[in-house]
Amino acid sequence: MVDGKADAKNRTALDILVAGAGYVGLAAAVSLKQARPSLAVAVVDAAPAGVWQKDGRASAIAAAACRMLDQLGVWAEIAPEAQAITEMIVTDSRPSDPLRPVFLTFDGEVAPGEAFAHMVANRDLNGALRRRAETLGIDIIEGVAVSAFDVNGAGITVHLADGATLKARLLIAADGVNSKLRDMAGIKTVKWDYGQSGIVCTVAHERPHNGRAEEHFLPAGPFATLPLKSDKDGTHRSSIVWVERSEDAEKLVDGDDLVFEHELEQRFGLKLGEIRVADRPRAWPLGLTIARDFVAPRIALAGDAAHGIHPIAGQGLNLGFKDVAALAEVVVEADRLGQDVGALDVLERYQQWRRFDTLQMGITTDVLNRLFSNDIGPLRAVRDIGLGLVERMPRLKDFFIRQASGLSGDTPKLLKGEAI
């Protein structure tokens, strides 16, 4: 692992350079290096060293992604601090309603003893992947951005902001939804703003959640409570993902703490006893961003650089892990066959695998958000009837669980828990 920028100047020839040291970028580097130790792999990240340790958020990791993390040798480290989601309920109401009837319930297992998702602290996930990368000999160059790149027939020359130059056969852009590398490559996006923001915070409460997640569809957007592992002193905790209109979210986060806590309590309720906000709430604007192409000569987009979707289905991070699993499988197969891992015909196999699935999920979350984030009476009646019908159809519920767990469709080997 590298903190100093000067050391990057001594590194000239790589097979694969990953831009972005988030979960997607680190997982991509680890997947490729573990499967093909002969590949020279490095990661470069614009964020200063140690910034990832300040991330107090948590993420829902689907069963398929847990299988992949296990195959990558990091789940055993993460699991003791992960909280299994054992049950999920869905309601449709208004914040002022005295009762919230449950329209839909899901058992939390995809197989006996295997939860369909776990809540994992972002610090734990990132830290475990970093340590695994270090074990595999992957250098992580921190605090320096990619400023430009030049593509030639044999590879790609990457220029860093500190003056260093790296050469690789393939550049993987995992630098987030506002990807600068995507823009540099001239890849256009389909993009629009929902006029909503997602408020994220951790809530401490008196009584245990027993692993139950809840999603309340409210007129301004969904309000989700996601179970977290109790902290070291035994305090029961849940993660909140609270969608509001952007102007209201900004007022709530920047305004009086008592007002925030009152509005939170109105939505959270007192079923788990008294609650208190355990960290500083933050808000992020929500929109839909899908790259028109996932690849360009010598470049592959992965994670939010390829797609940013609404959190209503909790699938953003898991889509990114699916990108990683598919890209790693394609690249590893090409390398075994003696093919150029950065050649466009190789990368197009990855694009064909992932683009339709991503577009489908983007459309699904867009439709769900538009269907449920309103207070139109007739529409509310129709959607509640639909939720009730799903509740009465076990096979359809099983289908949705498989979708949520990431185990449906053309699943890459890593997501099945298989080596590539």
Side-chain angles (χ1 to χ4, degrees):
M1 196 168 294
V2 176
D3 275 344
K5 300 176 184 178
D7 198 55
K9 296 178 182 179
N10 301 321
R11 195 174 293 97
T12 55
L14 295 165
D15 293 300
I16 298 165
L17 178 64
V18 180
Y23 334 108
V24 169
L26 291 170
V30 169
S31 300
L32 291 161
K33 186 66 175 179
Q34 176 172 288
R36 299 294 285 172
S38 60
L39 290 173
V41 181
V43 178
V44 62
D45 191 68
V51 166
W52 62 273
Q53 294 173 310
K54 299 176 183 178
D55 189 348
R57 295 171 297 169
S59 299
I61 310 298
C66 292
R67 292 181 183 185
M68 183 179 83
L69 293 170
D70 187 44
Q71 183 60 224
L72 297 183
V74 298
W75 184 246
E77 178 182 344
I78 295 169
E81 301 304 320
Q83 171 63 54
I85 297 178
T86 59
E87 180 188 11
M88 183 168 183
I89 68 168
V90 178
T91 75
D92 185 11
S93 61
R94 302 175 182 87
S96 59
D97 288 348
L99 294 175
R100 288 185 183 160
V102 175
F103 288 96
L104 192 55
T105 61
F106 290 106
D107 180 19
E109 291 188 336
V110 293
E114 183 180 14
F116 82 86
H118 285 76
M119 290 299 297
V120 175
N122 289 359
R123 285 191 295 261
D124 293 341
L125 178 58
N126 197 302
L129 285 167
R130 282 172 176 266
R131 285 183 283 276
R132 181 60 178 151
E134 185 174 14
T135 299
L136 292 170
I138 299 168
D139 286 329
I140 302 177
I141 307 162
E142 300 184 277
V144 58
V146 174
S147 59
F149 56 78
D150 305 307
V151 177
N152 54 54
I156 183 168
T157 301
V158 180
H159 305 280
L160 303 184
D162 65 350
T165 298
L166 305 176
K167 293 183 179 180
R169 291 194 287 160
L170 171 62
L171 174 62
I172 298 175
D175 56 337
V177 71
N178 296 315
S179 171
K180 296 187 182 303
L181 272 72
R182 182 185 64 214
D183 294 342
M184 289 179 197
I187 297 175
K188 304 298 183 184
T189 61
V190 175
K191 186 173 184 177
W192 57 78
D193 189 338
Y194 286 120
Q196 297 172 313
S197 291
I199 302 171
V200 179
C201 66
T202 300
V203 172
H205 40 82
E206 283 187 290
R207 293 191 282 273
H209 46 57
N210 297 319
R212 186 165 83 171
E214 300 184 2
E215 182 144 33
H216 304 291
F217 289 122
L218 303 173
F223 178 90
T225 66
L226 304 163
L228 295 176
K229 194 89 168 180
S230 297
D231 64 17
K232 292 180 180 179
D233 64 5
T235 302
H236 306 301
R237 303 179 305 141
S238 293
S239 178
I240 301 299
V241 181
W242 173 4
V243 176
E244 283 286 343
R245 296 176 183 88
S246 292
E247 59 270 26
D248 295 332
E250 185 177 337
K251 291 176 184 176
L252 284 165
V253 170
D254 295 337
D256 187 274
D257 291 345
L258 289 176
V259 173
F260 183 88
E261 289 175 5
H262 171 75
E263 293 295 329
L264 175 64
E265 185 177 291
Q266 191 174 31
R267 290 157 178 79
F268 192 96
L270 295 174
K271 55 190 175 296
L272 298 181
E274 290 188 11
I275 64 172
R276 63 177 174 81
V277 179
D279 60 3
R280 180 186 171 189
R282 302 198 176 192
W284 280 267
L286 303 178
L288 178 69
T289 302
I290 298 182
R292 291 185 179 273
D293 296 293
F294 283 16
V295 301
R298 300 284 167 190
I299 298 171
L301 308 183
D304 287 350
H307 44 72
I309 65 171
H310 198 282
I312 194 167
Q315 289 299 303
L317 176 59
N318 296 294
L319 273 182
F321 279 143
K322 202 165 186 179
D323 293 343
V324 168
L327 180 58
E329 193 167 328
V330 166
V331 169
V332 166
E333 180 183 6
D335 191 55
R336 284 180 179 143
L337 293 173
Q339 298 174 340
D340 182 351
V341 297
L344 192 56
D345 60 337
V346 171
L347 299 182
E348 283 176 344
R349 297 176 210 162
Y350 160 66
Q351 176 168 265
Q352 290 170 4
W353 196 345
R354 293 297 303 130
R355 190 160 58 174
F356 177 75
D357 178 54
T358 299
L359 181 61
Q360 188 178 46
M361 182 59 71
I363 292 172
T364 298
T365 55
D366 182 77
V367 169
L368 285 173
N369 183 52
R370 295 177 190 277
L371 178 63
F372 284 95
S373 297
N374 62 74
D375 198 21
I376 302 171
L379 192 55
R380 177 185 291 276
V382 169
R383 69 197 187 208
D384 290 349
I385 290 171
L387 291 173
L389 288 174
V390 174
E391 176 69 11
R392 292 169 176 80
M393 301 174 71
R395 289 186 180 179
L396 191 54
K397 287 174 70 173
D398 288 345
F399 168 78
F400 285 129
I401 284 289
R402 297 287 294 181
Q403 289 280 337
S405 67
L407 296 170
S408 62
D410 188 4
T411 307
K413 289 181 180 178
L414 282 174
L415 294 181
K416 298 175 185 176
E418 301 172 4
I420 54 175

